[in-house]
Amino acid sequence: MGLLLWFVQLGVYAQCITENNVFQGGEKVYYHAFYNWKFIWLNAGEVSFTVDETKWRGLPAYHFKSIGGTFRNYDRFYKVRDTFEVFVDRYNLKPFEYRQITNEGSFSANHHYVFNRENRTIRTSISREGKPFEREVIPWPECAFDLLSMIYQARNIDFSKYRSGDKIPIALVVDGEIHNLYIRYLGREVAKTRDGRSFSCLKFAPMLVKGTIFEAGEGMTVWVTDDKNRVPILVEAKILVGSVKAIFSHAEGLRHPMTAEITP
C-alpha cells in the first residue's frame, strides 16, 4: 500500500503535539454507524473509543482503544469486526506499542508495531488473510503516528492558527509504511445528530490512504466540537461501495464540560 515517503520532510513538517489539554483517563465516546444503501441510510453498527490511564513496561501511559462492528442482522451485507489499540506516553502522546485486528467482509489482517525511541525505528509485524507474519524494521520519523494515536493528536491541534482551506501535514504508519498526508481545515459549521442535537463544530477533511474500505484522497469529512474537548460529532466518508457515517451517541468522563452543544 504505497511507498516509503520522504522521512526528512516528515520530521520537519508533520504535526507533533507535546501537551494534551483535551482528554483524560476514563473518557469513553460512543457512535452509531450508518451505511448508505440505495439512497437509504441503514443503522449498521456501533463504534466506541476509550481512554485508560495505565503503564507500559513501567512507564506512565494512556491506553487508547477503539472497537467497531456491524450489527448481526447487517453482517450478511458486510460484516465488520475491528479492534484498534495503542499504548502512548502519557506526557507527550508518542506511541509505545500498537495493535490492529481487522475483519472486514472476507478480508482479515493483524498488525503489531513497537516504537523504539532510542534508535528511532518501528518494528512491524503484519499478517494478512491468516498468512504468516511479515516482519520488518523501518525508520521512525519524528512526529509520525499510528492511526489511533493520530486521532488523539488531531484533537489537540490548535485550529485557531489556520484559515479555511489550509493543509496541516501529518505522518501516519499505515500497513507497515510511512505516509506523508495532511488534514485540510474547513472552518466552522454546525453539525446535527440523528436525535436532533446540534453542536458548534470545527470541520476538516483528512487525506486517506487507500485500503480495504476507503478510497485514497479527501473522501472523509469530520466535525469535532468547537470547545475544549474536541470530541468528534460526525464523520462522513465515501467508501469503495457507497458511503458511511459515524454519528455521536454519547460520552462519559470528558475532561471539560461540553459547551459546544447548542440548546434550543
Side-chain angles (χ1 to χ4, degrees):
M1 187 191 297
L3 299 172
L4 206 60
L5 298 173
W6 308 324
F7 289 109
V8 174
Q9 182 177 352
L10 292 176
V12 174
Y13 295 107
Q15 283 290 314
C16 196
I17 305 300
T18 58
E19 184 178 5
N20 166 45
N21 296 305
V22 172
F23 60 85
Q24 63 183 0
E27 180 188 273
K28 301 177 181 178
V29 187
Y30 301 90
Y31 298 86
H32 296 297
F34 292 84
Y35 172 68
N36 184 264
W37 182 72
K38 295 184 178 180
F39 305 104
I40 300 174
W41 283 100
L42 302 175
N43 188 356
E46 296 177 321
V47 182
S48 65
F49 290 83
T50 59
V51 180
D52 290 308
E53 290 189 6
T54 185
K55 288 192 175 182
W56 183 85
R57 299 182 182 178
L59 299 174
Y62 284 120
H63 179 209
F64 302 150
K65 189 170 186 178
S66 178
I67 299 175
T70 48
F71 296 131
R72 293 192 181 279
N73 61 356
Y74 181 81
D75 285 349
R76 64 182 182 273
F77 296 105
Y78 194 86
K79 183 178 180 180
V80 175
R81 298 289 188 275
D82 290 345
T83 300
F84 302 79
E85 58 183 325
V86 62
F87 293 90
V88 306
D89 190 307
R90 198 183 302 171
Y91 301 111
N92 58 28
L93 305 186
K94 294 182 179 180
F96 291 128
E97 183 177 10
Y98 172 83
R99 291 186 183 275
Q100 173 185 334
I101 300 174
T102 304
N103 291 282
E104 299 169 352
S106 60
F107 177 80
S108 64
N110 191 318
H111 294 68
H112 180 213
Y113 308 149
V114 178
F115 297 79
N116 189 317
R117 298 185 183 189
E118 293 183 1
N119 59 19
R120 299 302 307 177
T121 61
I122 307 170
R123 189 173 73 244
T124 69
S125 301
I126 301 175
S127 170
R128 302 176 183 85
E129 307 288 3
K131 296 179 180 179
F133 278 88
E134 298 177 5
R135 293 177 170 85
E136 291 188 48
V137 176
I138 64 173
W140 180 20
E142 285 288 343
C143 304
F145 297 88
D146 60 88
L147 291 167
L148 188 53
S149 61
M150 178 54 77
I151 291 174
Y152 290 90
Q153 282 276 322
R155 286 176 60 184
N156 276 281
I157 293 174
D158 182 1
F159 286 97
S160 67
K161 298 178 180 179
Y162 301 97
R163 296 180 180 179
S164 182
D166 283 353
K167 293 181 180 179
I168 305 168
I170 61 174
L172 281 181
V173 187
V174 180
D175 211 16
E177 298 179 351
I178 303 295
H179 293 263
N180 189 20
L181 306 172
Y182 60 81
I183 295 170
R184 186 187 297 277
Y185 176 54
L186 298 174
R188 288 177 164 83
E189 192 170 283
V190 173
K192 296 183 178 181
T193 63
R194 291 181 69 88
D195 58 2
R197 300 167 70 185
S198 298
F199 297 84
S200 298
C201 289
L202 302 170
K203 180 180 178 182
F204 57 86
M207 185 181 181
L208 303 177
V209 177
K210 186 174 182 179
T212 57
I213 291 181
F214 298 108
E215 289 279 10
E218 294 183 30
M220 177 182 289
T221 308
V222 182
W223 290 258
V224 302
T225 55
D226 189 7
D227 60 15
K228 292 182 179 180
N229 293 298
R230 302 288 174 78
V231 173
I233 294 296
L234 175 63
V235 180
E236 294 183 349
K238 297 177 183 178
I239 57 177
L240 298 178
V241 180
S243 55
V244 293
K245 288 184 181 181
I247 302 177
F248 174 76
S249 170
H250 63 284
E252 304 169 8
L254 295 179
R255 182 168 176 173
H256 309 284
M258 186 176 278
T259 59
E261 184 165 7
I262 301 170
T263 55

